[in-house]
Amino acid sequence: MMDAVAVGELLIDFVPNGISDNGNVLFERNPGGAPANVLAMLAKLGLHTAFIGKIGNDPFGRFLEETLQLSKINTSGLVFDNDVNTTLAFVHLQENGERSFSFYRKPGADLMLTVEEINVQLIESARLFHFGSVSMTGEPARSATLYAAKHAKQQGKLVSYDPNLRESLWSSLEEAKEIMLQGLVYTDILKVSQEELQFLTGEADLGIASGWIAETYGIELIFVTQGSEGCYYRFHQQVGHVPAFQVNAVDTTGAGDAFFGSILYRILAASTETSLWTVAEIEAAIRFSNAAGALTTLKKGAIPALPILENIVEKLSEVVL
């Protein structure tokens, strides 16, 4: 029995790591891919997870498989492609730790996952199914991702979704919006950045935008991440905001995934269904997750930077102003 299964991209993040003797930027190889990062956070907190996706049958792919296994993530749903290489992403960091990406993925192995390669047994064995939108930027992975999400919903699984916008991966922003909205049909728990929420709804006001999502798609638990400003949430008809922990960020890569993984951990570890939670319980879960996200920014990379439970608990003792 799995606690959580995710489908999506698994790739290499090359993160800046100093300057060479010749004055060139040095890049460090790190495992990446938002769905895998979420699973790694859940696994680090002690839950049983499995990943479904495709990587190249190359040294990068084998490194990623080993990383998942070392992270105690089940890899029986991992597929190797003999013809297409593992996707690479180069991370460009700003002084405040914010980042942008350059992708080498035309195509990448992650985009070649087919419906037939989806391990439905893993989905059926899990309590929660998680997916994002990067694997929906092209075929055949788009159809495979939506098929997996639909199957999970039909099986009565809890479904979480991160419409993670990477503009350069889409042929147009019109297509991106159309496809990303399709994922909301299957969603029970939504994590979306403030910018992504405005992109999807055309509305800057968080209350109006999240209200439209909740009413249109029947999603009663929405988390809107705001970076250093914290998290806005909608829980049934209640809305609120939980401030972030202030840190000197080194690299924000994976911070949102650490946040979402921690939220899902609190939901899966709870003794009662979230529909019965109080606002205080929701805000406590968000504060826990804000701490995890903040700690992740203190190191470079995503999976290597994820904090352990003891560090999160220690961070919670700090006063947030």
Side-chain angles (χ1 to χ4, degrees):
M1 185 71 180
M2 291 290 166
D3 292 303
V5 171
V7 66
E9 72 279 7
L10 181 62
L11 46 81
I12 299 291
D13 281 335
F14 280 104
V15 181
N17 189 24
I19 303 295
S20 73
D21 293 339
N22 293 325
N24 297 316
V25 176
L26 297 172
F27 285 90
E28 179 183 11
R29 178 189 67 175
N30 279 293
N37 295 341
V38 169
L39 290 184
M41 188 71 253
L42 285 166
K44 207 151 194 177
L45 293 172
L47 298 191
H48 299 290
T49 66
F51 180 80
I52 300 171
K54 181 174 269 192
I55 51 181
N57 189 10
D58 52 37
F60 290 131
R62 290 186 285 275
F63 164 71
L64 290 170
E65 179 189 37
E66 180 182 15
T67 298
L68 293 189
Q69 292 171 347
L70 289 174
S71 300
K72 299 182 179 179
I73 298 171
N74 183 301
T75 57
S76 61
L78 196 59
V79 182
F80 283 89
D81 195 307
N82 292 320
D83 300 316
V84 180
N85 291 332
T86 301
T87 297
L88 309 180
F90 285 81
V91 182
H92 310 285
L93 296 178
Q94 301 173 24
E95 290 184 2
N96 63 357
E98 291 297 330
R99 77 278 190 241
S100 59
F101 296 86
S102 297
F103 289 91
Y104 287 75
R105 186 190 188 232
K106 291 188 177 181
D110 68 296
L111 206 55
M112 305 309 294
L113 184 71
T114 67
V115 168
E116 293 74 21
E117 291 168 330
I118 295 292
N119 188 327
V120 294
Q121 288 76 25
L122 279 178
I123 296 173
E124 292 167 1
S125 73
R127 298 164 58 198
L128 177 140
F129 173 80
H130 175 70
F131 72 113
S133 64
V134 170
S135 59
M136 296 193 293
T137 54
E139 295 290 1
R142 176 184 300 168
S143 294
T145 301
L146 291 171
Y147 167 80
K150 181 178 180 179
H151 186 76
K153 191 71 171 180
Q154 290 175 337
Q155 293 292 313
K157 308 301 179 181
L158 198 60
V159 178
S160 58
Y161 176 43
D162 178 6
N164 189 12
L165 179 61
R166 294 287 180 263
E167 293 185 20
S168 63
L169 295 179
W170 295 91
S171 60
S172 71
L173 289 179
E174 291 76 17
E175 179 193 47
K177 181 176 179 178
E178 176 187 352
I179 300 301
M180 289 167 69
L181 286 173
Q182 289 183 27
L184 296 175
V185 173
Y186 310 108
T187 302
D188 300 303
I189 306 165
L190 175 68
K191 192 278 287 184
V192 60
S193 74
Q194 183 172 341
E195 296 77 15
E196 289 159 351
L197 182 64
Q198 183 172 355
F199 170 74
L200 291 173
T201 64
E203 175 58 60
D205 184 279
L206 298 181
I208 296 174
S210 63
W212 180 82
I213 292 283
E215 182 178 350
T216 304
Y217 296 96
I219 303 171
E220 297 183 341
L221 196 49
I222 300 172
F223 303 97
V224 185
T225 55
Q226 299 174 285
S228 61
E229 298 301 314
C231 176
Y232 176 93
Y233 69 88
R234 175 174 289 274
F235 174 55
H236 299 295
Q237 298 303 314
Q238 300 280 344
V239 297
H241 176 267
V242 179
F245 291 84
Q246 299 305 308
V247 295
N248 294 319
V250 174
D251 178 8
T252 59
T253 304
D257 303 325
F259 170 89
F260 205 10
S262 299
I263 281 286
L264 297 178
Y265 163 77
R266 292 292 292 254
I267 291 171
L268 291 170
S271 58
T272 57
E273 295 183 4
T274 52
S275 60
L276 302 176
W277 282 17
T278 63
V279 168
E281 287 174 311
I282 285 289
E283 292 193 349
I286 294 173
R287 189 164 186 269
F288 177 90
S289 303
N290 281 349
L295 289 168
T296 302
T297 70
L298 299 179
K299 299 179 182 178
K300 291 182 179 179
I303 291 177
L306 297 173
I308 60 175
L309 180 60
E310 289 78 7
N311 290 342
I312 298 173
V313 172
E314 181 181 359
K315 192 69 177 174
L316 286 172
S317 65
E318 297 182 8
V319 177
V320 177
L321 300 178

